[in-house]
């Protein structure tokens, strides 16, 4: 039997025939390899960025400084070893020590993402720079820095910090040779994001004292003119109405606090000088049963089933005190005048400085008033030097010239009028000794005396006061010659005082505290010297 024929071997692979598609070239392979490598690098970088973002998010979620800053609802945790400080008493002994301070944050600014600067003001213009920077241990985080840098100006805060020397003096703060390196800050009370009046505006000079609101169109036009002229340096000045409508910011301003401090000192010096002269203080009532200076310009009000009045003067009660044997008395208190005078020199309520004393001659009282005023002006020049300089930086004026001791200038009314006739402006060459001196005459006489005697201060026989008639018969007769019925309500009670006892001769006078301060500082309005000025058109705040 024949053997089977074996399967034929598979044909050998034939080589590629020319014209058929060839595989990728070496160049193409290299290009593909490079592209793949680039994509891998891109994916790697994206992964690294994602990891960094995740790490940052994790870090944000783990803010280790949360106990060191926050709003008023946050639990405040201050170190028990931190020293309470006042900026007025800060000195080298505090360097390097941990302190705590409660203050108004008047300004804040970021310096990059890890540092912020703040200005902390305690009172008046007593301010210091604070610095906060994120650190490695996390006790001050970036989030804390960002929070501090975004606190609204004029918020009230408490901080904990270390006292250090700045690299160079801080020109924007009164405390220029120290700074606080903040480690904690808590906002006790936040100010609004938009203030009704900024501190910068509050510290500018007030020039508009009108009680009338300016039309909106006029205000806009004024701002536009200023802007076009390009002469505005910082925020524009605000009117007195705007100041009073934003009373807290008005009173936070450096200049108003300086004026208030001077006012307090004037009142203190008035009291201390008179006490040293044997005067005793008393308190007269403000509510009285009859007009104290006649029936004109008096505030009336219902008083149960009767009518009452606000006191125009404490004179009646000063005289009672002297008649009672107190010899020398003074009082400091409110005085009310229902005068519809809308000028920078008038208010319907002001603080009176009054005195009354036994005398043998009315000039004793005149010289006492001269003495107390000279004492006040000579003393505040020293004790309030910083405050006076601050006020003059906003309301420029020359130094108030005072006479040398023993060379005081004293004129009778007739001598003053004679000086005006002989050396004054042409319009006053015919002034009479029998007519009241007008405000322009007073100013002209003051200019003459300053030129002649080199002093802004002189004494004349013109004052809200004088020697009183202490004999009841003479008093009644004088009233009748003036057309006043001595038995009319209010007058009868006054005359009866002198019928009850034997009365010593006495004299006195009164001056307005607000006017004294405004006069010495040469302020454009007495309203700036008052805490809360009252005018015929203003009862708020």
């Amino acid at each position: 039997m024949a053997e089977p024929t074996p399967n034929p071997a598979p044909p050998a692979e034939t080589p590629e025939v020319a014209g058929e598609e060839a595989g990728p070239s070496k160049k193409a392979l290299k290009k593909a390899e490079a592209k793949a490598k680039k994509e891998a690098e891109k994916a790697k970088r994206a992964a690294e960025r994602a990891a960094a973002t995740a790490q940052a998010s994790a870090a944000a979620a783990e803010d280790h400084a949360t106990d060191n800053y926050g709003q008023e609802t946050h639990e405040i945790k201050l170190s028990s070893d931190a020293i309470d400080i006042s900026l007025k008493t800060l000195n080298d002994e505090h360097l390097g020590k941990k302190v705590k301070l409660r203050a108004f944050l008047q300004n804040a600014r970021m310096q990059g993402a890890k540092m912020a600067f703040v200005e902390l003001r305690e009172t008046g213009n007593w301010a210091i720079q604070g610095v906060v920077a994120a650190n490695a241990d996390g006790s001050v985080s970036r989030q804390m820095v960002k929070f501090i840098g975004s606190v609204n100006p004029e918020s009230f805060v408490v901080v904990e910090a270390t006292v250090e020397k700045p690299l160079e003096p801080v020109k924007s703060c009164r405390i220029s040779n120290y700074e606080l390196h903040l480690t904690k800050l808590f906002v006790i009370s936040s100010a609004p994001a938009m203030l009704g009046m900024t501190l910068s505006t509050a510290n500018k000079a007030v020039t508009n004292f009108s009680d009338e609101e300016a039309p909106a169109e006029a205000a806009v036009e004024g701002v536009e003119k200023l802007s076009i002229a390009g002469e505005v340096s910082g925020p524009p000045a605000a009117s007195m109405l705007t100041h009073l409508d934003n009373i807290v910011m008005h009173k936070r301003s450096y200049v108003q606090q300086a004026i208030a401090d001077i006012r307090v000192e004037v009142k203190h010096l008035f009291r201390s000088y008179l006490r040293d002269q044997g005067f005793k203080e008393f308190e007269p009532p403000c509510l009285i049963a009859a007009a104290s200076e006649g029936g004109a310009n008096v505030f009336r009000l219902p008083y149960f089933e009767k009518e009452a009045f606000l006191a125009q003067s404490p004179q009646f009660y000063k005289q009672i005190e002297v008649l009672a044997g107190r010899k020398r008395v003074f009082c400091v208190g409110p005085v009310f005048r229902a005068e519809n005078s809308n000028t920078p020199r008038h208010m319907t309520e002001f603080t009176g400085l009054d005195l009354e004393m036994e005398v043998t001659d009315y000039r004793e009282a005149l010289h006492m008033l001269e003495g107390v005023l000279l004492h006040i002006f000579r003393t505040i020049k020293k004790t309030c030097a910083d405050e006076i300089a601050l006020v003059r930086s906003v309301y420029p004026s020359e130094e108030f010239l005072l006479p040398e001791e023993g060379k005081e200038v004293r004129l009778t009314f007739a001598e003053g009028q004679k000086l005006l006739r002989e050396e004054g402006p042409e319009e006053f060459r015919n002034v009479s000794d029998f007519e009241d001196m007008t405000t322009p005459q007073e100013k002209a006489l003051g200019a003459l005396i300053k030129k002649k005697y080199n002093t802004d201060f002189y004494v004349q026989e013109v004052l809200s006061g004088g020697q009183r008639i202490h004999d009841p018969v003479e008093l009644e007769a004088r009233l009748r010659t003036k057309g006043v019925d001595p038995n009319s309500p209010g007058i009868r009670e006054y005359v009866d005082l002198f019928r009850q006892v034997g009365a010593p001769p006495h004299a006195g006078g009164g001056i307005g505290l607000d006017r004294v301060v405004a006069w010495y500082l040469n302020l454009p309005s007495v309203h700036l010297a008052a805490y809360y000025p009252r005018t015929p058109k203003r009862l708020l705040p």
Side-chain angles (χ1 to χ4, degrees):
M1 185 173 179
E3 294 182 358
T5 304
N7 292 329
E13 292 183 5
T14 58
E16 291 181 354
V17 182
E20 294 184 8
E21 188 176 347
S25 65
K26 289 182 179 180
K27 185 177 181 180
L29 289 171
K30 285 183 178 180
K31 188 175 181 181
E33 183 181 358
K35 183 178 181 181
K37 188 176 181 181
K38 187 176 180 180
E39 292 293 336
E41 287 292 334
K42 187 176 180 180
K44 182 181 178 183
R45 287 195 298 270
E48 287 174 349
R49 284 196 299 269
T53 301
Q55 186 177 6
S57 298
E62 298 175 6
D63 183 0
H64 297 294
T66 53
D67 286 342
N68 296 334
Y69 70 98
Q71 294 286 348
E72 58 183 330
T73 55
H74 194 288
E75 182 182 356
I76 297 176
K77 296 179 179 179
L78 298 177
S79 304
S80 58
D81 59 341
I83 306 168
D84 274 307
I85 61 163
S86 168
L87 294 182
K88 290 183 177 181
T89 58
L90 197 63
N91 57 51
D92 283 353
E93 293 182 2
H94 294 104
L95 284 172
K97 293 184 180 178
K98 190 185 298 182
V99 299
K100 51 190 173 183
L101 173 71
R102 287 168 174 78
F104 299 108
L105 188 147
Q106 70 179 21
N107 193 22
R109 62 181 176 87
M110 293 293 297
Q111 185 79 25
K114 296 182 179 181
M115 181 178 288
F117 292 89
V118 297
E119 292 176 2
L120 301 167
R121 185 183 74 255
E122 190 175 21
T123 184
N125 66 338
W126 287 93
I128 190 170
Q129 176 174 274
V131 184
V132 60
N135 53 26
D137 64 17
S139 59
V140 177
S141 62
R142 286 191 178 195
Q143 296 92 327
M144 177 175 170
V145 172
K146 184 178 180 181
F147 172 83
I148 293 174
S150 63
V151 175
N152 292 335
E154 296 307 311
S155 296
F156 190 69
V157 302
V158 58
V159 302
E160 186 175 294
T162 303
V163 181
E164 302 290 351
K165 284 280 189 182
L167 295 177
E168 57 184 31
V170 181
K171 296 179 180 179
S172 61
C173 295
R174 179 167 182 173
I175 305 295
S176 59
N177 53 341
Y178 302 104
E179 67 181 10
L180 299 180
H181 289 196
L182 308 182
T183 53
K184 296 182 180 182
L185 183 146
F186 298 97
V187 177
I188 304 298
S189 179
S190 294
M194 181 69 72
L195 294 167
M197 181 171 66
T198 65
L199 187 65
S200 261
T201 298
N203 277 313
K204 284 186 173 288
V206 180
T207 55
N208 179 4
F209 294 92
S210 172
D211 281 328
E212 302 291 343
E213 292 284 0
E217 297 81 3
V220 172
E221 182 183 358
V223 172
E224 287 176 348
K225 285 182 178 178
L226 286 172
S227 301
I228 291 170
E231 297 177 356
V232 179
S233 176
S239 68
M240 193 65 186
L241 278 180
T242 300
H243 275 255
L244 295 179
D245 287 341
N246 296 274
I247 188 64
V248 176
M249 286 307 300
H250 169 70
K251 294 181 75 65
R252 280 191 186 185
S253 70
Y254 310 152
V255 64
Q256 282 304 133
Q257 294 219 7
I259 291 171
D261 289 343
I262 294 167
R263 176 191 170 99
V264 168
E265 184 70 1
V266 168
K267 187 163 57 172
H268 164 71
L269 291 171
F270 178 80
R271 282 190 165 110
S272 60
Y273 179 86
L274 292 180
R275 283 173 180 157
D276 289 345
Q277 303 300 316
F279 282 74
K280 300 177 178 67
E281 187 171 5
F282 79 103
E283 298 169 359
C286 292
L287 279 173
I288 57 177
S292 48
E293 293 186 359
N297 303 326
V298 63
F299 287 110
R300 302 169 183 267
L301 65 157
Y303 189 75
F304 301 103
E305 298 177 358
K306 295 175 288 186
E307 186 177 45
F309 303 86
L310 292 178
Q312 296 167 283
S313 165
Q315 180 183 327
F316 182 69
Y317 299 95
K318 290 191 299 179
Q319 291 184 260
I320 290 178
E321 294 291 317
V322 172
L323 267 61
R326 302 291 281 171
K327 287 190 174 292
R328 294 183 165 193
V329 296
F330 73 92
C331 60
V332 178
V335 178
F336 303 90
R337 299 287 169 87
E339 299 174 354
N340 192 15
S341 298
N342 297 280
T343 78
R345 299 180 67 245
H346 291 86
M347 292 188 294
T348 54
E349 178 185 351
F350 61 89
T351 300
L353 306 176
D354 282 85
L355 64 83
E356 199 79 15
M357 58 190 286
E358 286 187 14
V359 296
T360 55
D361 183 272
Y362 78 93
R363 281 178 282 265
E364 294 170 32
L366 189 64
H367 294 161
M368 185 62 69
L369 282 159
E370 175 191 48
V372 69
L373 287 171
L374 282 174
H375 173 71
I376 289 170
F377 295 149
R378 284 170 177 156
T379 305
I380 61 173
K381 186 177 179 179
K382 302 173 185 176
T383 59
C384 296
D386 290 343
E387 290 81 1
I388 292 169
L390 196 158
V391 173
R392 286 178 177 158
S393 71
V394 179
Y395 297 99
S397 66
E398 297 177 359
E399 183 179 355
F400 191 88
L401 299 178
L402 295 171
E404 295 180 21
E405 290 193 38
K407 295 184 178 181
E408 292 80 8
V409 180
R410 297 165 181 165
L411 301 173
T412 64
F413 180 78
E415 287 169 342
Q417 295 292 67
K418 182 173 182 289
L419 189 59
L420 278 174
R421 285 193 296 269
E422 294 177 351
E423 302 181 35
E426 189 65 35
E427 63 265 33
F428 302 134
R429 293 299 172 90
N430 296 313
V431 293
S432 168
D433 292 354
F434 303 99
E435 62 185 24
D436 287 338
M437 186 174 285
T438 64
T439 299
Q441 284 176 247
E442 290 176 2
K443 291 181 178 180
L445 181 60
L448 280 174
I449 289 173
K450 183 174 184 177
K451 182 179 179 180
K452 198 176 184 73
Y453 300 103
N454 195 35
T455 179
D456 288 306
F457 184 94
Y458 67 96
V459 174
Q460 196 181 4
E461 295 175 322
V462 182
L463 187 74
S464 177
Q467 183 167 350
R468 325 300 182 184
I469 298 175
H470 61 281
D471 178 79
V473 176
E474 182 185 353
L475 177 58
E476 186 172 335
R478 183 66 63 85
L479 285 167
R480 293 188 187 281
T481 63
K482 295 293 183 180
V484 178
D485 182 1
N487 293 311
S488 60
I491 302 298
R492 181 180 62 251
E493 288 79 8
Y494 178 72
V495 176
D496 283 346
L497 286 178
F498 302 95
R499 294 192 180 108
Q500 293 176 14
V501 293
H506 56 284
I511 49 180
L513 171 60
D514 316 89
R515 281 192 177 180
V516 169
V517 174
W519 179 51
Y520 182 83
L521 297 173
N522 198 29
L523 298 176
S525 172
V526 71
H527 302 166
L528 291 167
Y531 288 126
Y532 305 98
R534 290 290 179 262
T535 68
K537 296 178 182 176
R538 188 85 191 189
L539 270 174
L540 292 173

